[in-house]
PDB file of all heavy atoms in Angstrom:
ATOM      1  N   GLU A  97      -3.255   3.746 -16.117  1.00 98.00           N
ATOM      2  CA  GLU A  97      -4.320   4.288 -16.969  1.00 98.00           C
ATOM      3  C   GLU A  97      -5.089   5.391 -16.265  1.00 98.00           C
ATOM      4  O   GLU A  97      -5.496   6.379 -16.890  1.00 98.00           O
ATOM      5  CB  GLU A  97      -5.269   3.160 -17.363  1.00 98.00           C
ATOM      6  CG  GLU A  97      -4.644   2.155 -18.327  1.00 98.00           C
ATOM      7  CD  GLU A  97      -5.470   0.892 -18.461  1.00 98.00           C
ATOM      8  OE1 GLU A  97      -6.581   0.844 -17.874  1.00 98.00           O
ATOM      9  OE2 GLU A  97      -5.018  -0.054 -19.138  1.00 98.00           O
ATOM     10  N   ALA A  98      -5.270   5.244 -14.942  1.00 98.00           N
ATOM     11  CA  ALA A  98      -6.024   6.245 -14.184  1.00 98.00           C
ATOM     12  C   ALA A  98      -5.210   7.515 -13.956  1.00 98.00           C
ATOM     13  O   ALA A  98      -5.778   8.615 -13.884  1.00 98.00           O
ATOM     14  CB  ALA A  98      -6.463   5.655 -12.844  1.00 98.00           C
ATOM     15  N   PHE A  99      -3.883   7.361 -13.857  1.00 98.00           N
ATOM     16  CA  PHE A  99      -3.021   8.514 -13.552  1.00 98.00           C
ATOM     17  C   PHE A  99      -1.839   8.537 -14.537  1.00 98.00           C
ATOM     18  O   PHE A  99      -0.682   8.341 -14.141  1.00 98.00           O
ATOM     19  CB  PHE A  99      -2.535   8.436 -12.104  1.00 98.00           C
ATOM     20  CG  PHE A  99      -3.647   8.228 -11.110  1.00 98.00           C
ATOM     21  CD1 PHE A  99      -3.864   6.983 -10.544  1.00 98.00           C
ATOM     22  CD2 PHE A  99      -4.492   9.275 -10.767  1.00 98.00           C
ATOM     23  CE1 PHE A  99      -4.891   6.781  -9.643  1.00 98.00           C
ATOM     24  CE2 PHE A  99      -5.529   9.089  -9.859  1.00 98.00           C
ATOM     25  CZ  PHE A  99      -5.737   7.832  -9.296  1.00 98.00           C
ATOM     26  N   PRO A 100      -2.113   8.794 -15.799  1.00 98.00           N
ATOM     27  CA  PRO A 100      -1.082   8.673 -16.837  1.00 98.00           C
ATOM     28  C   PRO A 100       0.015   9.724 -16.767  1.00 98.00           C
ATOM     29  O   PRO A 100       1.036   9.587 -17.450  1.00 98.00           O
ATOM     30  CB  PRO A 100      -1.888   8.814 -18.138  1.00 98.00           C
ATOM     31  CG  PRO A 100      -3.090   9.626 -17.755  1.00 98.00           C
ATOM     32  CD  PRO A 100      -3.429   9.187 -16.363  1.00 98.00           C
ATOM     33  N   ASN A 101      -0.178  10.749 -15.962  1.00 98.00           N
ATOM     34  CA  ASN A 101       0.820  11.824 -15.884  1.00 98.00           C
ATOM     35  C   ASN A 101       1.897  11.562 -14.837  1.00 98.00           C
ATOM     36  O   ASN A 101       2.721  12.439 -14.561  1.00 98.00           O
ATOM     37  CB  ASN A 101       0.133  13.161 -15.581  1.00 98.00           C
ATOM     38  CG  ASN A 101      -0.766  13.609 -16.714  1.00 98.00           C
ATOM     39  OD1 ASN A 101      -0.452  13.392 -17.890  1.00 98.00           O
ATOM     40  ND2 ASN A 101      -1.886  14.221 -16.386  1.00 98.00           N
ATOM     41  N   HIS A 102       1.878  10.356 -14.260  1.00 98.00           N
ATOM     42  CA  HIS A 102       2.850  10.033 -13.213  1.00 98.00           C
ATOM     43  C   HIS A 102       3.585   8.742 -13.545  1.00 98.00           C
ATOM     44  O   HIS A 102       2.954   7.756 -13.951  1.00 98.00           O
ATOM     45  CB  HIS A 102       2.134   9.883 -11.862  1.00 98.00           C
ATOM     46  CG  HIS A 102       1.404  11.119 -11.438  1.00 98.00           C
ATOM     47  ND1 HIS A 102       2.040  12.204 -10.872  1.00 98.00           N
ATOM     48  CD2 HIS A 102       0.087  11.449 -11.522  1.00 98.00           C
ATOM     49  CE1 HIS A 102       1.139  13.149 -10.627  1.00 98.00           C
ATOM     50  NE2 HIS A 102      -0.045  12.715 -11.009  1.00 98.00           N
ATOM     51  N   PRO A 103       4.918   8.729 -13.380  1.00 98.00           N
ATOM     52  CA  PRO A 103       5.643   7.461 -13.525  1.00 98.00           C
ATOM     53  C   PRO A 103       5.066   6.431 -12.559  1.00 98.00           C
ATOM     54  O   PRO A 103       4.566   6.783 -11.492  1.00 98.00           O
ATOM     55  CB  PRO A 103       7.083   7.832 -13.149  1.00 98.00           C
ATOM     56  CG  PRO A 103       7.168   9.305 -13.310  1.00 98.00           C
ATOM     57  CD  PRO A 103       5.802   9.839 -12.992  1.00 98.00           C
ATOM     58  N   PHE A 104       5.163   5.169 -12.942  1.00 98.00           N
ATOM     59  CA  PHE A 104       4.576   4.138 -12.086  1.00 98.00           C
ATOM     60  C   PHE A 104       5.504   2.938 -11.997  1.00 98.00           C
ATOM     61  O   PHE A 104       6.475   2.811 -12.754  1.00 98.00           O
ATOM     62  CB  PHE A 104       3.212   3.703 -12.643  1.00 98.00           C
ATOM     63  CG  PHE A 104       3.273   2.947 -13.943  1.00 98.00           C
ATOM     64  CD1 PHE A 104       3.187   1.561 -13.961  1.00 98.00           C
ATOM     65  CD2 PHE A 104       3.436   3.610 -15.154  1.00 98.00           C
ATOM     66  CE1 PHE A 104       3.251   0.861 -15.159  1.00 98.00           C
ATOM     67  CE2 PHE A 104       3.500   2.914 -16.353  1.00 98.00           C
ATOM     68  CZ  PHE A 104       3.413   1.532 -16.357  1.00 98.00           C
ATOM     69  N   GLY A 105       5.195   2.073 -11.053  1.00 98.00           N
ATOM     70  CA  GLY A 105       6.017   0.888 -10.877  1.00 98.00           C
ATOM     71  C   GLY A 105       5.405  -0.071  -9.887  1.00 98.00           C
ATOM     72  O   GLY A 105       4.203  -0.029  -9.609  1.00 98.00           O
ATOM     73  N   LEU A 106       6.258  -0.937  -9.327  1.00 99.00           N
ATOM     74  CA  LEU A 106       5.799  -2.017  -8.455  1.00 99.00           C
ATOM     75  C   LEU A 106       6.660  -2.079  -7.210  1.00 99.00           C
ATOM     76  O   LEU A 106       7.886  -2.093  -7.282  1.00 99.00           O
ATOM     77  CB  LEU A 106       5.887  -3.361  -9.191  1.00 99.00           C
ATOM     78  CG  LEU A 106       5.426  -4.592  -8.415  1.00 99.00           C
ATOM     79  CD1 LEU A 106       3.910  -4.570  -8.231  1.00 99.00           C
ATOM     80  CD2 LEU A 106       5.856  -5.875  -9.124  1.00 99.00           C
ATOM     81  N   SER A 107       6.003  -2.092  -6.063  1.00 98.00           N
ATOM     82  CA  SER A 107       6.658  -2.436  -4.805  1.00 98.00           C
ATOM     83  C   SER A 107       6.256  -3.873  -4.511  1.00 98.00           C
ATOM     84  O   SER A 107       5.089  -4.162  -4.257  1.00 98.00           O
ATOM     85  CB  SER A 107       6.207  -1.496  -3.677  1.00 98.00           C
ATOM     86  OG  SER A 107       6.835  -1.853  -2.457  1.00 98.00           O
ATOM     87  N   ASP A 108       7.227  -4.762  -4.558  1.00 98.00           N
ATOM     88  CA  ASP A 108       6.920  -6.193  -4.609  1.00 98.00           C
ATOM     89  C   ASP A 108       7.317  -6.907  -3.323  1.00 98.00           C
ATOM     90  O   ASP A 108       8.374  -6.633  -2.741  1.00 98.00           O
ATOM     91  CB  ASP A 108       7.655  -6.819  -5.797  1.00 98.00           C
ATOM     92  CG  ASP A 108       7.408  -8.307  -5.890  1.00 98.00           C
ATOM     93  OD1 ASP A 108       6.239  -8.719  -5.787  1.00 98.00           O
ATOM     94  OD2 ASP A 108       8.388  -9.056  -6.067  1.00 98.00           O
ATOM     95  N   HIS A 109       6.467  -7.857  -2.912  1.00 98.00           N
ATOM     96  CA  HIS A 109       6.738  -8.641  -1.709  1.00 98.00           C
ATOM     97  C   HIS A 109       6.703 -10.142  -1.987  1.00 98.00           C
ATOM     98  O   HIS A 109       6.445 -10.932  -1.081  1.00 98.00           O
ATOM     99  CB  HIS A 109       5.727  -8.279  -0.616  1.00 98.00           C
ATOM    100  CG  HIS A 109       5.745  -6.833  -0.244  1.00 98.00           C
ATOM    101  ND1 HIS A 109       4.666  -5.986  -0.438  1.00 98.00           N
ATOM    102  CD2 HIS A 109       6.724  -6.064   0.291  1.00 98.00           C
ATOM    103  CE1 HIS A 109       4.975  -4.774  -0.027  1.00 98.00           C
ATOM    104  NE2 HIS A 109       6.213  -4.791   0.412  1.00 98.00           N
ATOM    105  N   THR A 110       6.937 -10.542  -3.245  1.00 98.00           N
ATOM    106  CA  THR A 110       7.020 -11.965  -3.561  1.00 98.00           C
ATOM    107  C   THR A 110       8.417 -12.473  -3.195  1.00 98.00           C
ATOM    108  O   THR A 110       9.230 -11.753  -2.622  1.00 98.00           O
ATOM    109  CB  THR A 110       6.726 -12.226  -5.040  1.00 98.00           C
ATOM    110  OG1 THR A 110       7.753 -11.601  -5.840  1.00 98.00           O
ATOM    111  CG2 THR A 110       5.367 -11.676  -5.446  1.00 98.00           C
ATOM    112  N   LEU A 111       8.693 -13.711  -3.575  1.00 98.00           N
ATOM    113  CA  LEU A 111       9.950 -14.345  -3.180  1.00 98.00           C
ATOM    114  C   LEU A 111      10.984 -14.396  -4.300  1.00 98.00           C
ATOM    115  O   LEU A 111      12.017 -15.049  -4.148  1.00 98.00           O
ATOM    116  CB  LEU A 111       9.663 -15.770  -2.682  1.00 98.00           C
ATOM    117  CG  LEU A 111       8.729 -15.861  -1.472  1.00 98.00           C
ATOM    118  CD1 LEU A 111       8.496 -17.323  -1.087  1.00 98.00           C
ATOM    119  CD2 LEU A 111       9.273 -15.073  -0.294  1.00 98.00           C
ATOM    120  N   SER A 112      10.704 -13.723  -5.419  1.00 98.00           N
ATOM    121  CA  SER A 112      11.648 -13.751  -6.542  1.00 98.00           C
ATOM    122  C   SER A 112      11.537 -12.450  -7.323  1.00 98.00           C
ATOM    123  O   SER A 112      10.721 -11.580  -7.000  1.00 98.00           O
ATOM    124  CB  SER A 112      11.350 -14.934  -7.469  1.00 98.00           C
ATOM    125  OG  SER A 112      10.164 -14.696  -8.216  1.00 98.00           O
ATOM    126  N   ASN A 113      12.353 -12.343  -8.368  1.00 98.00           N
ATOM    127  CA  ASN A 113      12.349 -11.142  -9.215  1.00 98.00           C
ATOM    128  C   ASN A 113      11.304 -11.176 -10.320  1.00 98.00           C
ATOM    129  O   ASN A 113      11.163 -10.212 -11.071  1.00 98.00           O
ATOM    130  CB  ASN A 113      13.728 -10.965  -9.870  1.00 98.00           C
ATOM    131  CG  ASN A 113      14.786 -10.471  -8.896  1.00 98.00           C
ATOM    132  OD1 ASN A 113      14.473  -9.804  -7.911  1.00 98.00           O
ATOM    133  ND2 ASN A 113      16.036 -10.812  -9.167  1.00 98.00           N
ATOM    134  N   HIS A 114      10.585 -12.278 -10.456  1.00 98.00           N
ATOM    135  CA  HIS A 114       9.709 -12.441 -11.616  1.00 98.00           C
ATOM    136  C   HIS A 114       8.655 -11.342 -11.716  1.00 98.00           C
ATOM    137  O   HIS A 114       8.383 -10.825 -12.809  1.00 98.00           O
ATOM    138  CB  HIS A 114       9.027 -13.812 -11.569  1.00 98.00           C
ATOM    139  CG  HIS A 114       9.986 -14.950 -11.731  1.00 98.00           C
ATOM    140  ND1 HIS A 114      10.552 -15.613 -10.666  1.00 98.00           N
ATOM    141  CD2 HIS A 114      10.506 -15.528 -12.837  1.00 98.00           C
ATOM    142  CE1 HIS A 114      11.364 -16.551 -11.109  1.00 98.00           C
ATOM    143  NE2 HIS A 114      11.356 -16.519 -12.426  1.00 98.00           N
ATOM    144  N   ALA A 115       8.027 -10.993 -10.605  1.00 98.00           N
ATOM    145  CA  ALA A 115       6.975  -9.972 -10.648  1.00 98.00           C
ATOM    146  C   ALA A 115       7.536  -8.636 -11.110  1.00 98.00           C
ATOM    147  O   ALA A 115       6.926  -7.939 -11.932  1.00 98.00           O
ATOM    148  CB  ALA A 115       6.315  -9.835  -9.272  1.00 98.00           C
ATOM    149  N   CYS A 116       8.696  -8.268 -10.599  1.00 98.00           N
ATOM    150  CA  CYS A 116       9.306  -6.993 -10.993  1.00 98.00           C
ATOM    151  C   CYS A 116       9.676  -6.981 -12.468  1.00 98.00           C
ATOM    152  O   CYS A 116       9.464  -5.983 -13.166  1.00 98.00           O
ATOM    153  CB  CYS A 116      10.540  -6.722 -10.135  1.00 98.00           C
ATOM    154  SG  CYS A 116      10.182  -6.171  -8.450  1.00 98.00           S
ATOM    155  N   LEU A 117      10.227  -8.075 -12.953  1.00 98.00           N
ATOM    156  CA  LEU A 117      10.604  -8.129 -14.361  1.00 98.00           C
ATOM    157  C   LEU A 117       9.364  -8.081 -15.252  1.00 98.00           C
ATOM    158  O   LEU A 117       9.365  -7.424 -16.303  1.00 98.00           O
ATOM    159  CB  LEU A 117      11.424  -9.385 -14.634  1.00 98.00           C
ATOM    160  CG  LEU A 117      12.784  -9.434 -13.923  1.00 98.00           C
ATOM    161  CD1 LEU A 117      13.450 -10.783 -14.155  1.00 98.00           C
ATOM    162  CD2 LEU A 117      13.700  -8.305 -14.385  1.00 98.00           C
ATOM    163  N   GLY A 118       8.293  -8.755 -14.818  1.00 98.00           N
ATOM    164  CA  GLY A 118       7.044  -8.662 -15.563  1.00 98.00           C
ATOM    165  C   GLY A 118       6.494  -7.251 -15.568  1.00 98.00           C
ATOM    166  O   GLY A 118       5.945  -6.777 -16.578  1.00 98.00           O
ATOM    167  N   ALA A 119       6.665  -6.551 -14.442  1.00 98.00           N
ATOM    168  CA  ALA A 119       6.193  -5.168 -14.359  1.00 98.00           C
ATOM    169  C   ALA A 119       6.937  -4.269 -15.330  1.00 98.00           C
ATOM    170  O   ALA A 119       6.345  -3.375 -15.947  1.00 98.00           O
ATOM    171  CB  ALA A 119       6.352  -4.657 -12.923  1.00 98.00           C
ATOM    172  N   VAL A 120       8.236  -4.495 -15.492  1.00 98.00           N
ATOM    173  CA  VAL A 120       9.019  -3.682 -16.436  1.00 98.00           C
ATOM    174  C   VAL A 120       8.490  -3.865 -17.850  1.00 98.00           C
ATOM    175  O   VAL A 120       8.370  -2.903 -18.616  1.00 98.00           O
ATOM    176  CB  VAL A 120      10.513  -4.047 -16.371  1.00 98.00           C
ATOM    177  CG1 VAL A 120      11.297  -3.279 -17.432  1.00 98.00           C
ATOM    178  CG2 VAL A 120      11.079  -3.730 -15.001  1.00 98.00           C
ATOM    179  N   ALA A 121       8.153  -5.101 -18.201  1.00 98.00           N
ATOM    180  CA  ALA A 121       7.619  -5.354 -19.538  1.00 98.00           C
ATOM    181  C   ALA A 121       6.334  -4.576 -19.784  1.00 98.00           C
ATOM    182  O   ALA A 121       6.018  -4.223 -20.919  1.00 98.00           O
ATOM    183  CB  ALA A 121       7.372  -6.850 -19.733  1.00 98.00           C
ATOM    184  N   LEU A 122       5.605  -4.282 -18.714  1.00 98.00           N
ATOM    185  CA  LEU A 122       4.351  -3.533 -18.821  1.00 98.00           C
ATOM    186  C   LEU A 122       4.554  -2.021 -18.636  1.00 98.00           C
ATOM    187  O   LEU A 122       3.589  -1.270 -18.584  1.00 98.00           O
ATOM    188  CB  LEU A 122       3.353  -4.053 -17.790  1.00 98.00           C
ATOM    189  CG  LEU A 122       2.877  -5.489 -18.019  1.00 98.00           C
ATOM    190  CD1 LEU A 122       1.991  -5.948 -16.866  1.00 98.00           C
ATOM    191  CD2 LEU A 122       2.128  -5.618 -19.339  1.00 98.00           C
ATOM    192  N   GLY A 123       5.810  -1.587 -18.521  1.00 98.00           N
ATOM    193  CA  GLY A 123       6.084  -0.159 -18.485  1.00 98.00           C
ATOM    194  C   GLY A 123       6.546   0.404 -17.166  1.00 98.00           C
ATOM    195  O   GLY A 123       6.745   1.614 -17.045  1.00 98.00           O
ATOM    196  N   ALA A 124       6.746  -0.439 -16.154  1.00 98.00           N
ATOM    197  CA  ALA A 124       7.149   0.059 -14.836  1.00 98.00           C
ATOM    198  C   ALA A 124       8.492   0.773 -14.894  1.00 98.00           C
ATOM    199  O   ALA A 124       9.428   0.314 -15.550  1.00 98.00           O
ATOM    200  CB  ALA A 124       7.210  -1.087 -13.828  1.00 98.00           C
ATOM    201  N   SER A 125       8.579   1.884 -14.180  1.00 98.00           N
ATOM    202  CA  SER A 125       9.809   2.678 -14.124  1.00 98.00           C
ATOM    203  C   SER A 125      10.510   2.584 -12.777  1.00 98.00           C
ATOM    204  O   SER A 125      11.654   3.018 -12.640  1.00 98.00           O
ATOM    205  CB  SER A 125       9.501   4.152 -14.405  1.00 98.00           C
ATOM    206  OG  SER A 125       8.993   4.321 -15.704  1.00 98.00           O
ATOM    207  N   ILE A 126       9.817   2.046 -11.764  1.00 98.00           N
ATOM    208  CA  ILE A 126      10.379   1.915 -10.426  1.00 98.00           C
ATOM    209  C   ILE A 126      10.084   0.506  -9.926  1.00 98.00           C
ATOM    210  O   ILE A 126       8.955   0.007 -10.050  1.00 98.00           O
ATOM    211  CB  ILE A 126       9.782   2.934  -9.446  1.00 98.00           C
ATOM    212  CG1 ILE A 126       9.975   4.365  -9.957  1.00 98.00           C
ATOM    213  CG2 ILE A 126      10.416   2.789  -8.054  1.00 98.00           C
ATOM    214  CD1 ILE A 126       9.289   5.419  -9.111  1.00 98.00           C
ATOM    215  N   LEU A 127      11.095  -0.137  -9.355  1.00 98.00           N
ATOM    216  CA  LEU A 127      10.951  -1.456  -8.761  1.00 98.00           C
ATOM    217  C   LEU A 127      11.493  -1.400  -7.345  1.00 98.00           C
ATOM    218  O   LEU A 127      12.635  -0.970  -7.132  1.00 98.00           O
ATOM    219  CB  LEU A 127      11.734  -2.502  -9.563  1.00 98.00           C
ATOM    220  CG  LEU A 127      11.446  -2.559 -11.070  1.00 98.00           C
ATOM    221  CD1 LEU A 127      12.463  -3.462 -11.757  1.00 98.00           C
ATOM    222  CD2 LEU A 127      10.023  -3.030 -11.336  1.00 98.00           C
ATOM    223  N   GLU A 128      10.690  -1.832  -6.398  1.00 98.00           N
ATOM    224  CA  GLU A 128      11.129  -1.812  -5.001  1.00 98.00           C
ATOM    225  C   GLU A 128      10.956  -3.204  -4.405  1.00 98.00           C
ATOM    226  O   GLU A 128       9.904  -3.825  -4.531  1.00 98.00           O
ATOM    227  CB  GLU A 128      10.300  -0.805  -4.203  1.00 98.00           C
ATOM    228  CG  GLU A 128      10.683  -0.753  -2.723  1.00 98.00           C
ATOM    229  CD  GLU A 128       9.786   0.198  -1.945  1.00 98.00           C
ATOM    230  OE1 GLU A 128       8.591  -0.110  -1.774  1.00 98.00           O
ATOM    231  OE2 GLU A 128      10.296   1.250  -1.507  1.00 98.00           O
ATOM    232  N   ARG A 129      12.030  -3.690  -3.791  1.00 98.00           N
ATOM    233  CA  ARG A 129      11.964  -4.940  -3.038  1.00 98.00           C
ATOM    234  C   ARG A 129      12.719  -4.772  -1.732  1.00 98.00           C
ATOM    235  O   ARG A 129      13.705  -4.023  -1.662  1.00 98.00           O
ATOM    236  CB  ARG A 129      12.573  -6.112  -3.812  1.00 98.00           C
ATOM    237  CG  ARG A 129      11.741  -6.617  -4.983  1.00 98.00           C
ATOM    238  CD  ARG A 129      12.253  -7.975  -5.459  1.00 98.00           C
ATOM    239  NE  ARG A 129      12.020  -9.002  -4.448  1.00 98.00           N
ATOM    240  CZ  ARG A 129      12.614 -10.202  -4.439  1.00 98.00           C
ATOM    241  NH1 ARG A 129      13.490 -10.501  -5.380  1.00 98.00           N
ATOM    242  NH2 ARG A 129      12.349 -11.071  -3.489  1.00 98.00           N
ATOM    243  N   HIS A 130      12.261  -5.450  -0.695  1.00 98.00           N
ATOM    244  CA  HIS A 130      13.024  -5.487   0.551  1.00 98.00           C
ATOM    245  C   HIS A 130      14.382  -6.123   0.278  1.00 98.00           C
ATOM    246  O   HIS A 130      14.537  -6.946  -0.638  1.00 98.00           O
ATOM    247  CB  HIS A 130      12.260  -6.274   1.616  1.00 98.00           C
ATOM    248  CG  HIS A 130      11.094  -5.525   2.179  1.00 98.00           C
ATOM    249  ND1 HIS A 130      11.224  -4.596   3.193  1.00 98.00           N
ATOM    250  CD2 HIS A 130       9.785  -5.562   1.867  1.00 98.00           C
ATOM    251  CE1 HIS A 130      10.033  -4.099   3.481  1.00 98.00           C
ATOM    252  NE2 HIS A 130       9.144  -4.660   2.688  1.00 98.00           N
ATOM    253  N   PHE A 131      15.360  -5.744   1.088  1.00 98.00           N
ATOM    254  CA  PHE A 131      16.747  -6.135   0.821  1.00 98.00           C
ATOM    255  C   PHE A 131      17.452  -6.532   2.110  1.00 98.00           C
ATOM    256  O   PHE A 131      17.237  -5.937   3.168  1.00 98.00           O
ATOM    257  CB  PHE A 131      17.495  -4.967   0.166  1.00 98.00           C
ATOM    258  CG  PHE A 131      18.934  -5.280  -0.157  1.00 98.00           C
ATOM    259  CD1 PHE A 131      19.259  -5.920  -1.347  1.00 98.00           C
ATOM    260  CD2 PHE A 131      19.950  -4.969   0.730  1.00 98.00           C
ATOM    261  CE1 PHE A 131      20.585  -6.233  -1.648  1.00 98.00           C
ATOM    262  CE2 PHE A 131      21.274  -5.274   0.441  1.00 98.00           C
ATOM    263  CZ  PHE A 131      21.584  -5.905  -0.760  1.00 98.00           C
ATOM    264  N   THR A 132      18.310  -7.530   1.992  1.00 98.00           N
ATOM    265  CA  THR A 132      19.171  -7.939   3.103  1.00 98.00           C
ATOM    266  C   THR A 132      20.505  -8.415   2.558  1.00 98.00           C
ATOM    267  O   THR A 132      20.602  -8.820   1.390  1.00 98.00           O
ATOM    268  CB  THR A 132      18.527  -9.068   3.934  1.00 98.00           C
ATOM    269  OG1 THR A 132      19.385  -9.385   5.032  1.00 98.00           O
ATOM    270  CG2 THR A 132      18.294 -10.320   3.092  1.00 98.00           C
ATOM    271  N   ASP A 133      21.520  -8.353   3.388  1.00 98.00           N
ATOM    272  CA  ASP A 133      22.815  -8.896   2.972  1.00 98.00           C
ATOM    273  C   ASP A 133      22.830 -10.420   3.095  1.00 98.00           C
ATOM    274  O   ASP A 133      23.416 -11.113   2.267  1.00 98.00           O
ATOM    275  CB  ASP A 133      23.962  -8.265   3.761  1.00 98.00           C
ATOM    276  CG  ASP A 133      23.780  -8.353   5.268  1.00 98.00           C
ATOM    277  OD1 ASP A 133      22.657  -8.674   5.737  1.00 98.00           O
ATOM    278  OD2 ASP A 133      24.755  -8.083   6.004  1.00 98.00           O
TER     279      ASP A 133
END
């Protein structure tokens, strides 16, 4: 809302995908999570 001219998203540090999926429902265009094999 403060910066409507820029795509937005979530860099998430929880233990599951739930936060990222919830963010998409709210309009997030970028999702970032740490990754390991």
Side-chain angles (χ1 to χ4, degrees):
E97 290 167 5
F99 309 103
N101 294 324
H102 300 281
F104 69 99
L106 181 70
S107 179
D108 179 47
H109 301 116
T110 64
L111 300 179
S112 73
N113 286 333
H114 294 94
C116 284
L117 295 174
V120 175
L122 294 175
S125 297
I126 303 174
L127 307 170
E128 179 183 69
R129 287 194 67 196
H130 286 277
F131 180 85
T132 182
D133 53 347

